[in-house]
Coordinates of all heavy atoms in Angstrom, one line a residue:
M201 N 86.1 124.9 75.2 CA 85.3 126.0 75.3 C 84.7 126.5 74.0 O 85.4 126.5 73.0 CB 86.1 127.2 75.9 CG 86.4 127.0 77.4 SD 85.0 126.9 78.4 CE 84.6 128.6 78.8
A202 N 83.4 126.8 74.0 CA 82.8 127.3 72.8 C 83.3 128.6 72.4 O 83.6 129.4 73.3 CB 81.3 127.3 73.1
E203 N 83.4 128.9 71.2 CA 83.8 130.2 70.7 C 82.7 131.1 70.2 O 83.0 132.1 69.6 CB 84.9 130.0 69.7 CG 86.1 129.3 70.3 CD 87.4 129.4 69.4 OE1 87.3 130.0 68.3 OE2 88.4 128.8 69.8
T204 N 81.5 130.7 70.5 CA 80.4 131.4 70.0 C 80.3 132.8 70.8 O 80.6 132.8 72.0 CB 79.1 130.7 70.4 OG1 79.3 129.3 70.1 CG2 77.9 131.2 69.5
L205 N 80.1 133.8 70.1 CA 79.9 135.1 70.7 C 78.5 135.2 71.3 O 77.5 135.0 70.7 CB 80.1 136.2 69.7 CG 80.1 137.7 70.1 CD1 81.3 137.9 71.1 CD2 80.3 138.6 69.0
K206 N 78.6 135.4 72.6 CA 77.3 135.5 73.4 C 77.0 136.9 73.8 O 77.9 137.7 74.0 CB 77.4 134.7 74.7 CG 77.8 133.2 74.4 CD 76.5 132.4 74.2 CE 76.9 130.9 74.1 NZ 77.4 130.3 75.3
K207 N 75.7 137.2 74.0 CA 75.4 138.6 74.5 C 74.4 138.5 75.5 O 73.5 137.6 75.6 CB 75.0 139.5 73.3 CG 73.6 139.2 72.8 CD 73.2 140.3 71.8 CE 71.9 140.0 71.2 NZ 71.5 140.9 70.2
V208 N 74.4 139.5 76.4 CA 73.3 139.7 77.4 C 72.9 141.1 77.3 O 73.7 142.0 77.3 CB 73.9 139.4 78.8 CG1 72.8 139.6 79.9 CG2 74.4 137.9 78.9
E209 N 71.6 141.3 77.3 CA 71.0 142.6 77.2 C 70.2 142.9 78.5 O 69.5 142.0 79.0 CB 70.0 142.7 76.0 CG 70.7 142.9 74.7 CD 69.8 142.9 73.5 OE1 68.6 142.5 73.7 OE2 70.2 143.3 72.5
C210 N 70.4 144.1 79.1 CA 69.7 144.5 80.2 C 68.3 145.0 79.8 O 68.0 144.9 78.6 CB 70.5 145.6 81.0 SG 70.0 145.7 82.7
E211 N 67.5 145.5 80.7 CA 66.2 146.0 80.3 C 66.4 147.1 79.2 O 67.4 147.9 79.3 CB 65.5 146.6 81.5 CG 64.9 145.4 82.4 CD 65.3 145.7 83.8 OE1 65.0 146.7 84.4 OE2 65.9 144.7 84.4
P212 N 65.4 147.3 78.3 CA 65.5 148.4 77.3 C 65.6 149.8 77.9 O 66.3 150.6 77.4 CB 64.1 148.2 76.6 CG 63.7 146.9 76.8 CD 64.2 146.5 78.2
T213 N 65.0 150.0 79.1 CA 65.1 151.3 79.8 C 66.6 151.5 80.2 O 66.9 152.7 80.4 CB 64.2 151.3 81.0 OG1 64.4 150.2 81.8 CG2 62.8 151.4 80.6
C214 N 67.3 150.5 80.4 CA 68.7 150.6 80.9 C 69.6 150.8 79.7 O 70.5 151.7 79.6 CB 69.1 149.4 81.7 SG 70.8 149.3 82.0
G215 N 69.4 149.9 78.7 CA 70.2 150.0 77.5 C 71.6 149.3 77.5 O 72.3 149.3 76.5
F216 N 71.9 148.7 78.7 CA 73.2 148.1 78.8 C 73.2 146.8 78.0 O 72.3 146.0 78.0 CB 73.4 147.7 80.3 CG 74.7 147.0 80.6 CD1 75.9 147.6 80.7 CD2 74.6 145.6 80.8 CE1 77.1 146.9 81.0 CE2 75.8 144.9 81.1 CZ 77.0 145.5 81.2
M217 N 74.3 146.6 77.2 CA 74.4 145.4 76.4 C 75.9 145.0 76.4 O 76.7 145.8 76.3 CB 73.9 145.6 75.0 CG 73.7 144.3 74.2 SD 75.1 143.8 73.3 CE 75.0 144.9 71.9
I218 N 76.1 143.7 76.6 CA 77.5 143.3 76.6 C 77.7 142.0 75.8 O 76.8 141.1 75.8 CB 78.0 143.1 78.0 CG1 79.5 142.8 78.0 CG2 77.2 142.1 78.8 CD1 80.1 143.1 79.4
R219 N 78.8 141.9 75.1 CA 79.1 140.7 74.3 C 80.4 140.2 74.7 O 81.4 140.9 74.9 CB 79.1 141.1 72.8 CG 77.8 141.0 72.1 CD 78.0 141.3 70.7 NE 77.7 142.7 70.4 CZ 77.4 143.2 69.2 NH1 77.3 142.4 68.2 NH2 77.1 144.4 69.0
S220 N 80.6 138.9 74.7 CA 81.9 138.3 74.9 C 81.9 136.8 74.4 O 80.8 136.2 74.3 CB 82.2 138.3 76.4 OG 83.5 137.7 76.6
H221 N 83.1 136.3 74.1 CA 83.2 134.9 73.8 C 83.4 134.1 75.0 O 83.3 132.9 75.1 CB 84.5 134.7 72.9 CG 84.4 135.2 71.5 ND1 83.7 134.6 70.5 CD2 84.8 136.4 71.0 CE1 83.7 135.3 69.4 NE2 84.4 136.4 69.6
D222 N 83.7 134.8 76.1 CA 84.1 134.2 77.4 C 82.9 134.3 78.3 O 82.5 135.3 78.9 CB 85.3 134.9 78.0 CG 85.8 134.3 79.2 OD1 85.0 133.5 79.9 OD2 86.9 134.5 79.6
E223 N 82.2 133.1 78.5 CA 81.0 133.1 79.3 C 81.2 133.5 80.7 O 80.4 134.2 81.3 CB 80.5 131.6 79.3 CG 79.0 131.6 79.6 CD 78.4 130.2 79.5 OE1 78.4 129.7 78.3 OE2 78.1 129.5 80.5
K224 N 82.4 133.1 81.3 CA 82.7 133.5 82.7 C 82.8 135.0 82.8 O 82.4 135.6 83.8 CB 84.0 132.8 83.1 CG 83.8 131.4 83.6 CD 85.0 131.0 84.4 CE 84.7 129.6 85.0 NZ 85.8 128.7 84.9
E225 N 83.5 135.6 81.9 CA 83.7 137.0 81.9 C 82.4 137.7 81.7 O 82.1 138.7 82.4 CB 84.6 137.4 80.7 CG 84.9 138.9 80.7 CD 85.7 139.3 79.4 OE1 85.1 139.2 78.3 OE2 86.8 139.7 79.5
L226 N 81.5 137.2 80.8 CA 80.2 137.8 80.6 C 79.4 137.8 81.9 O 78.8 138.8 82.3 CB 79.5 137.0 79.5 CG 78.4 137.6 78.7 CD1 78.9 138.8 78.0 CD2 77.8 136.6 77.7
I227 N 79.4 136.7 82.5 CA 78.6 136.5 83.8 C 79.1 137.5 84.8 O 78.4 138.2 85.5 CB 78.7 135.1 84.3 CG1 77.8 134.2 83.4 CG2 78.2 135.0 85.8 CD1 78.0 132.7 83.7
E228 N 80.4 137.6 85.0 CA 81.0 138.5 85.9 C 80.7 139.9 85.7 O 80.3 140.7 86.6 CB 82.6 138.3 85.9 CG 83.3 138.9 87.1 CD 82.6 138.5 88.5 OE1 82.3 137.3 88.7 OE2 82.5 139.4 89.3
L229 N 80.7 140.3 84.4 CA 80.5 141.7 84.1 C 79.0 142.1 84.2 O 78.6 143.2 84.7 CB 80.9 142.0 82.7 CG 82.5 142.0 82.5 CD1 82.8 142.1 81.0 CD2 83.1 143.2 83.3
V230 N 78.1 141.1 83.9 CA 76.7 141.3 84.1 C 76.3 141.4 85.5 O 75.6 142.3 86.0 CB 75.9 140.2 83.4 CG1 74.4 140.3 83.7 CG2 76.0 140.3 81.9
R231 N 77.0 140.6 86.3 CA 76.7 140.6 87.8 C 77.1 141.9 88.4 O 76.4 142.5 89.2 CB 77.5 139.4 88.5 CG 76.9 139.2 89.9 CD 77.7 138.3 90.8 NE 78.7 137.5 90.1 CZ 78.6 136.2 89.8 NH1 77.5 135.6 90.1 NH2 79.6 135.6 89.3
Q232 N 78.3 142.4 88.0 CA 78.8 143.7 88.4 C 77.8 144.8 88.0 O 77.5 145.7 88.8 CB 80.2 144.0 87.9 CG 81.3 143.3 88.6 CD 82.6 143.5 87.9 OE1 82.8 144.4 87.2 NE2 83.5 142.6 88.2
H233 N 77.4 144.8 86.8 CA 76.4 145.8 86.3 C 75.1 145.8 87.1 O 74.6 146.8 87.6 CB 76.1 145.5 84.8 CG 75.0 146.4 84.3 ND1 75.2 147.7 84.0 CD2 73.7 146.2 84.2 CE1 74.0 148.2 83.6 NE2 73.1 147.3 83.7
A234 N 74.6 144.6 87.3 CA 73.3 144.4 88.1 C 73.4 145.0 89.5 O 72.6 145.6 90.0 CB 72.9 143.0 88.1
E235 N 74.6 144.6 90.1 CA 74.8 145.1 91.5 C 75.0 146.6 91.6 O 74.4 147.2 92.5 CB 76.0 144.3 92.1 CG 75.6 142.9 92.6 CD 76.8 142.2 93.2 OE1 77.8 142.9 93.6 OE2 76.8 141.0 93.3
K236 N 75.8 147.1 90.7 CA 76.1 148.5 90.8 C 75.0 149.4 90.3 O 74.7 150.4 91.0 CB 77.3 148.7 89.9 CG 78.3 149.8 90.4 CD 79.6 149.8 89.5 CE 80.1 151.2 89.4 NZ 81.2 151.2 88.4
M237 N 74.4 149.1 89.2 CA 73.4 149.9 88.6 C 72.0 149.7 89.1 O 71.1 150.5 89.1 CB 73.4 149.8 87.1 CG 74.8 150.1 86.5 SD 75.5 151.8 86.9 CE 74.3 152.8 86.0
H238 N 71.7 148.4 89.5 CA 70.3 148.1 89.8 C 70.2 147.5 91.2 O 69.1 147.1 91.6 CB 69.8 147.1 88.8 CG 69.9 147.5 87.4 ND1 69.1 148.5 86.9 CD2 70.7 147.1 86.4 CE1 69.4 148.7 85.6 NE2 70.4 147.9 85.3
K239 N 71.3 147.5 92.0 CA 71.2 146.9 93.3 C 70.6 145.6 93.3 O 69.7 145.3 94.2 CB 70.5 147.9 94.3 CG 71.1 149.3 94.3 CD 72.2 149.5 95.3 CE 72.7 150.9 95.4 NZ 73.8 151.2 94.5
M240 N 70.9 144.8 92.3 CA 70.3 143.5 92.1 C 71.3 142.4 92.3 O 72.4 142.5 91.7 CB 69.6 143.4 90.7 CG 68.1 143.4 90.7 SD 67.6 143.7 89.0 CE 68.3 142.2 88.2
K241 N 70.9 141.3 93.0 CA 71.8 140.2 93.0 C 71.3 139.2 92.0 O 70.1 138.8 92.0 CB 71.7 139.5 94.4 CG 72.3 140.4 95.5 CD 73.8 140.0 95.6 CE 74.5 140.8 96.7 NZ 75.9 140.9 96.6
V242 N 72.2 138.8 91.1 CA 71.7 137.8 90.1 C 72.7 136.6 90.2 O 73.8 136.7 90.5 CB 71.8 138.4 88.7 CG1 70.6 139.4 88.5 CG2 73.1 139.1 88.4
T243 N 72.1 135.5 90.0 CA 72.8 134.2 90.0 C 73.4 133.9 88.6 O 72.9 134.5 87.6 CB 72.0 133.0 90.4 OG1 70.9 132.8 89.5 CG2 71.3 133.3 91.8
D244 N 74.3 133.0 88.5 CA 74.9 132.6 87.2 C 73.7 132.0 86.4 O 73.7 132.3 85.2 CB 75.9 131.4 87.4 CG 77.2 131.9 88.0 OD1 77.2 133.1 88.5 OD2 78.2 131.2 87.9
K245 N 72.8 131.3 87.0 CA 71.7 130.8 86.3 C 70.8 131.8 85.6 O 70.4 131.7 84.5 CB 70.9 129.9 87.2 CG 69.8 129.0 86.6 CD 69.2 128.1 87.6 CE 67.9 127.4 87.0 NZ 66.8 128.3 87.1
D246 N 70.5 132.9 86.4 CA 69.7 134.0 85.9 C 70.4 134.6 84.6 O 69.7 134.9 83.6 CB 69.6 135.2 86.9 CG 68.9 134.8 88.2 OD1 68.0 133.9 88.1 OD2 69.1 135.4 89.2
I247 N 71.7 134.8 84.7 CA 72.4 135.4 83.6 C 72.4 134.4 82.4 O 72.2 134.9 81.3 CB 73.8 135.8 84.1 CG1 73.7 136.8 85.2 CG2 74.6 136.3 82.9 CD1 75.1 137.1 85.9
R248 N 72.7 133.2 82.7 CA 72.7 132.2 81.5 C 71.3 132.2 80.8 O 71.3 132.0 79.6 CB 73.0 130.8 82.0 CG 74.5 130.6 82.3 CD 74.9 129.2 82.1 NE 76.4 129.1 82.4 CZ 76.9 128.9 83.6 NH1 76.1 128.7 84.6 NH2 78.2 128.9 83.7
E249 N 70.3 132.4 81.5 CA 68.9 132.4 80.9 C 68.7 133.6 80.0 O 67.9 133.5 79.1 CB 67.8 132.3 82.0 CG 67.7 130.9 82.5 CD 66.8 130.8 83.8 OE1 66.3 131.8 84.2 OE2 66.7 129.7 84.3
K250 N 69.5 134.6 80.3 CA 69.3 135.9 79.5 C 70.3 135.9 78.3 O 70.3 136.8 77.5 CB 69.6 137.1 80.4 CG 68.6 137.2 81.5 CD 68.6 138.6 82.1 CE 67.7 139.6 81.2 NZ 67.7 141.0 81.8
M251 N 71.2 134.9 78.3 CA 72.2 134.9 77.3 C 71.7 134.5 75.9 O 70.9 133.5 75.8 CB 73.3 133.8 77.7 CG 74.6 134.4 78.0 SD 75.7 133.1 78.4 CE 76.4 133.8 79.9
K252 N 72.2 135.2 74.9 CA 71.8 134.8 73.5 C 73.0 134.8 72.7 O 74.0 135.4 73.0 CB 70.8 135.9 73.0 CG 69.5 135.8 73.6 CD 68.6 137.0 73.0 CE 67.4 137.2 73.9 NZ 67.0 138.6 73.8
T253 N 72.9 134.1 71.6 CA 74.0 134.1 70.6 C 74.0 135.4 69.9 O 73.0 135.9 69.5 CB 73.9 133.0 69.6 OG1 73.7 131.7 70.4 CG2 75.1 132.8 68.7
A254 N 75.2 136.1 69.9 CA 75.2 137.4 69.3 C 75.4 137.3 67.8 O 76.0 136.4 67.3 CB 76.3 138.2 69.9
Ligands
LIG518 CU1 71.1 147.5 83.4

């Protein structure tokens, strides 16, 4: 497993940002955020595309 710190940022109007070394955890937390706060269903692929090295 890569130990690179990754981050995912939500829209600027939302301001949500999350960082983790654990890609699975990152995906899970972003998915929960999207569903809860934006009523949005996102796929793993969607989230991976938004991932950046922190
Ligand atoms: Cu958000």
Side-chain angles (χ1 to χ4, degrees):
M201 287 300 272
E203 296 194 3
T204 321
L205 188 59
K206 304 269 183 67
K207 73 170 175 186
V208 176
E209 284 175 346
C210 201
E211 285 131 57
T213 49
C214 169
F216 176 82
M217 194 270 280
I218 187 162
R219 272 186 262 201
S220 179
H221 290 282
D222 185 340
E223 200 174 294
K224 276 197 176 136
E225 182 187 67
L226 202 61
I227 288 171
E228 194 48 44
L229 292 170
V230 170
R231 197 192 345 257
Q232 283 173 19
H233 171 81
E235 281 182 19
K236 214 171 144 188
M237 305 302 293
H238 305 288
K239 307 268 182 267
M240 250 169 61
K241 290 271 180 200
V242 288
T243 64
D244 287 17
K245 190 171 166 282
D246 293 333
I247 298 168
R248 284 210 177 85
E249 281 167 3
K250 297 195 84 179
M251 246 181 231
K252 289 175 197 153
T253 306

